């Protein structure tokens, strides 16, 4: 089985890999049938014809799907689709979207009915820089389009020559059905200069749309690399500026980050590790990455050090030069170039971890503790002292525990247990002694009414005045 010399690359939004394959002619329908809606198919220059073993009446048949078909642009070597007697070149029907054909040649198709070159029905189609040459049919020798409301045909920078319709006034180049939506005709797109030639009206049957200025076709010529044009222009008057490029046949495009160009460039040059462009530098050269940034590899932009980090290194080629803010500090910014960009945790808080990225990652000091700003730990109030709230900012928040309460260092004040007492500012509580007791948390001794002394096992039978101890058996 013979093979035709196209190479097809299927680029699908639903696929993560690119498939490169030489397609055999007899398998062409199967190959295109494997495409999904929205795929882009790139074909390399060459020629495919109906004499290469294809037995059907149409080279490419697209039904109930839509995709984009683009010839990899080589002006001297076009992508030719050739029909033959009784075999049209392309059939497009009910695609449900917009089918785009770009930079291909539809040639020598023939059909006893409609559309020797392309037959379309119920499908919106964009033709961009397509040559329709020497095709014939009874209606629409080059193109027959039967559609309806909203089914449009856009013809942009296309060339028509020597197409023929056997029925008079039925469109040598394009037959427009009465029910068809809009037919839009434009000159060559951006990136091409336009050559025009006078000719007959484009459309048959209803000659109410023809090429602008009375021209029936356009020859679109590549603008050289580094230049471009406005749509429909006859000259390539635009020179790509520094930081832009055009490989030819496109608008001037911005160089991606990490690459640069001089003016009138057809490609962009990658920067070496430690250098970048497009990061605030002029795009006409690579420059060292500024402090706070780094570039790990060729053609990479200068990347910013992340939050919680900083770097004062110029021309860094790796992220290891980005240092973390030390414990007790944080940094909410990216691309910081100095340790001074690291902010201290506020007084009354602390952190033990480096590289914090926000103030709320600093922890608040607990009750009976305090810290100055930038602290890595909280200092405890001394024994017998405490604070009334969290987040103390200095030792001034530490106040004496009142009488009847006590605290260990770094702990809040607590009540003395029953039978024990303390003076103000005490770190511990002491026993009341025989004949007296202390209500838990009270600030004065109470009379020993209803209590007894444990000395000798005697019970008090009466009490004296309140500020004196009870007299109990064995106490005298």
């Amino acid at each position: 089985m013979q093979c035709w010399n196209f190479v097809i690359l299927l680029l699908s939004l639903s696929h993560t890999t690119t498939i490169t394959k030489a397609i055999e002619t007899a398998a062409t329908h199967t190959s295109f049938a494997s495409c999904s809606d929205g795929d882009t198919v790139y074909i390399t220059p060459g020629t495919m014809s109906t004499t290469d073993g294809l037995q059907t009446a149409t080279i490419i048949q697209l039904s109930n799907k839509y995709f984009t078909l683009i010839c990899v642009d080589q002006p001297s070597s076009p992508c030719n689709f050739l029909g033959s007697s009784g075999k049209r070149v392309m059939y497009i029907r009910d695609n449900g979207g917009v089918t785009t054909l770009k930079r291909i040649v539809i040639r020598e198709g023939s059909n006893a009915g409609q559309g020797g070159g392309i037959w379309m029905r119920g499908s919106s189609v964009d033709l961009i820089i397509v040559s329709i040459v020497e095709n014939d049919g009874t209606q629409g020798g080059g193109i027959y389009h039967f559609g309806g409301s909203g089914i449009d045909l856009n013809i942009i920078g296309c060339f028509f020559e020597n197409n023929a319709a056997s029925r008079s006034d039925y469109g040598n180049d394009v037959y427009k059905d009465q029910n068809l939506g809009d037919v839009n005709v434009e000159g060559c797109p951006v990136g091409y200069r336009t050559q025009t030639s006078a000719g007959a009206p484009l459309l048959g049957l209803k000659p109410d749309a023809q090429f602008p200025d009375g021209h029936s076709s356009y020859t679109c010529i590549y603008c050289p690399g580094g230049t471009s044009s406005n749509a429909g222009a006859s000259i390539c008057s635009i020179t790509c500026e520094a930081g832009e490029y055009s490989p030819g046949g496109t608008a001037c495009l911005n160089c991606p980050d990490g690459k640069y160009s001089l003016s009138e460039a057809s490609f962009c040059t990658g920067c070496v590790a430690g250098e970048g462009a497009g990061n605030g530098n002029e795009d006409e050269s690579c420059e060292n990455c500024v402090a706070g940034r780094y570039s790990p590899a060729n053609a990479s932009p200068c990347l910013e050090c992340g939050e919680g980090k900083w770097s004062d290194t110029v021309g860094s080629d790796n992220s290891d030069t980005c240092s973390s803010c030390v414990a007790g500090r944080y940094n909410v910014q990216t691309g910081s170039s100095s340790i001074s960009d690291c902010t201290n945790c506020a007084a009354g808080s602390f952190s033990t971890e480096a590289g914090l990225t926000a103030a709320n990652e600093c922890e608040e000091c607990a009750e009976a503790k305090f810290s100055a700003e930038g602290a890595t730990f909280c200092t405890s109030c001394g024994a017998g002292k405490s604070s009334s709230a969290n987040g103390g900012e200095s030792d001034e928040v530490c106040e004496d525990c009142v009488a009847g309460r006590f605290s260990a260092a770094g702990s809040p004040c607590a009540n003395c247990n029953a039978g024990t007492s303390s003076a103000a500012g005490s770190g511990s509580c002491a026993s009341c002694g025989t004949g007296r007791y202390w209500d838990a948390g009270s600030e004065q001794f109470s009379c020993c009414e209803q209590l007894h002394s444990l000395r000798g096992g005697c019970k008090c039978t009466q009490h004296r005045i309140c500020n004196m101890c009870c007299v109990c058996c064995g106490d005298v």
Side-chain angles (χ1 to χ4, degrees):
M1 183 179 296
Q2 296 182 350
C3 297
W4 51 292
N5 57 349
F6 281 103
V7 175
I8 292 184
L9 299 87
L10 303 180
L11 302 181
S12 171
L13 295 177
S14 60
H15 295 85
T16 57
T17 59
T18 299
I19 303 170
T20 305
K21 184 179 180 182
I23 304 298
E24 296 179 347
T25 301
T28 301
H29 287 296
T30 301
S31 300
F32 283 107
S34 67
C35 296
S36 300
D37 283 345
D39 281 357
T40 297
V41 181
Y42 292 93
I43 55 177
T44 60
T47 299
M48 174 187 174
S49 74
T50 56
T51 61
D52 290 335
L54 190 66
Q55 301 302 313
T56 62
T58 308
I59 292 180
I60 298 178
Q61 186 163 319
L62 306 177
S63 297
N64 303 310
K65 68 171 56 182
Y66 63 94
F67 59 82
T68 298
L69 178 65
I70 301 177
C71 179
V72 178
D73 211 347
Q74 297 183 23
S76 61
S77 303
C79 295
N80 289 296
F81 290 85
L82 269 61
S84 64
S85 178
K87 294 183 178 181
R88 69 166 58 93
V89 178
M90 192 169 294
Y91 174 99
I92 305 173
R93 180 166 185 164
D94 300 328
N95 59 9
V98 177
T99 291
T100 301
L101 307 177
K102 187 172 183 179
R103 296 195 296 257
I104 65 173
V105 177
I106 304 295
R107 192 183 188 99
E108 299 177 12
S110 177
N111 190 273
Q114 304 148 332
I118 306 176
W119 187 94
M120 313 174 189
R121 181 174 182 136
S123 301
S124 291
V125 178
D126 291 346
L127 302 178
I128 305 173
I129 317 176
V130 174
S131 294
I132 311 292
V133 180
E134 298 177 357
N135 302 281
D136 65 81
T138 57
Q139 303 172 22
I143 299 172
Y144 174 86
H145 195 176
F146 182 96
S149 178
I151 304 299
D152 299 333
L153 172 61
N154 297 309
I155 302 173
I156 303 169
C158 294
F159 178 78
F160 291 82
E161 185 176 67
N162 294 334
N163 300 295
S166 60
R167 295 183 62 179
S168 177
D169 295 330
Y170 274 74
N172 289 335
D173 294 325
V174 178
Y175 177 79
K176 174 185 177 182
D177 185 87
Q178 293 185 14
N179 298 319
L180 184 68
D182 293 336
V183 174
N184 304 303
V185 181
E186 302 175 17
C188 295
V190 169
Y192 292 80
R193 62 182 177 88
T194 303
Q195 291 182 343
T196 60
S197 59
L202 167 68
L203 302 173
L205 185 61
K206 297 177 66 176
D208 55 355
Q210 48 188 47
F211 283 118
D213 303 324
H215 296 294
S216 64
S217 62
Y218 293 90
T219 301
C220 300
I221 308 298
Y222 254 65
C223 288
T227 67
S228 188
S229 68
N230 294 314
S234 59
I235 59 174
C236 300
S237 59
I238 299 174
T239 298
C240 297
E241 300 178 352
E244 298 179 334
Y245 75 103
S246 171
T250 69
C252 291
L253 308 171
N254 291 326
C255 289
D257 283 349
K259 294 189 177 184
Y260 74 97
S261 71
L262 303 177
S263 62
E264 202 169 346
S266 59
F267 60 91
C268 299
T269 301
C271 301
V272 299
E275 295 184 350
N279 295 281
N281 299 327
E282 292 296 327
D283 289 339
E284 58 190 41
S285 65
C286 290
E287 296 183 5
N288 282 332
C289 295
V290 298
R293 298 189 178 194
Y294 64 96
S295 175
N298 183 41
S300 172
C302 291
L303 305 175
E304 292 183 330
C305 293
E307 297 174 349
K309 295 179 180 293
W310 64 279
S311 172
D312 59 4
T313 302
V314 175
S316 171
D317 61 359
N318 66 83
S319 61
D320 291 343
T321 57
C322 298
S323 301
S324 295
C325 293
V326 297
R329 293 187 171 193
Y330 64 92
N331 186 8
V332 300
Q333 305 176 50
T334 60
S336 294
S337 59
S338 170
I339 192 173
S340 63
D341 293 328
C342 298
T343 303
N344 286 331
C345 289
S349 65
F350 73 103
S351 75
T352 59
E353 296 181 7
L356 298 190
T357 61
N360 61 10
E361 294 180 2
C362 300
E363 299 180 52
E364 187 177 46
C365 291
E367 184 180 349
K369 296 186 178 183
F370 62 91
S371 73
E373 66 175 25
T376 59
F377 62 91
C378 295
T379 302
S380 297
C381 293
K385 295 180 179 290
S386 187
S387 60
S388 58
N390 295 341
E393 299 181 1
S394 71
D395 61 359
E396 294 180 359
V397 302
C398 299
E399 299 177 346
D400 286 345
C401 296
V402 297
R405 309 189 82 193
F406 76 102
S407 73
S411 298
C413 296
N415 291 333
C416 290
N417 294 327
T420 63
S421 65
S422 70
S426 296
S428 61
C429 297
S431 175
C432 297
T434 302
R436 296 196 297 174
Y437 75 98
W438 187 278
D439 287 331
S442 176
E443 296 186 9
Q444 63 181 1
F445 286 103
S446 295
C447 294
C448 44
E449 184 179 9
Q450 299 178 350
L451 293 183
H452 65 277
S453 171
L454 297 179
R455 293 180 62 186
C458 298
K459 293 184 178 180
C460 292
T461 58
Q462 61 179 347
H463 62 84
R464 306 271 181 99
I465 59 174
C466 192
N467 62 351
M468 296 180 64
C469 293
C470 298
V471 177
C472 299
C473 297
D475 285 346
V476 294

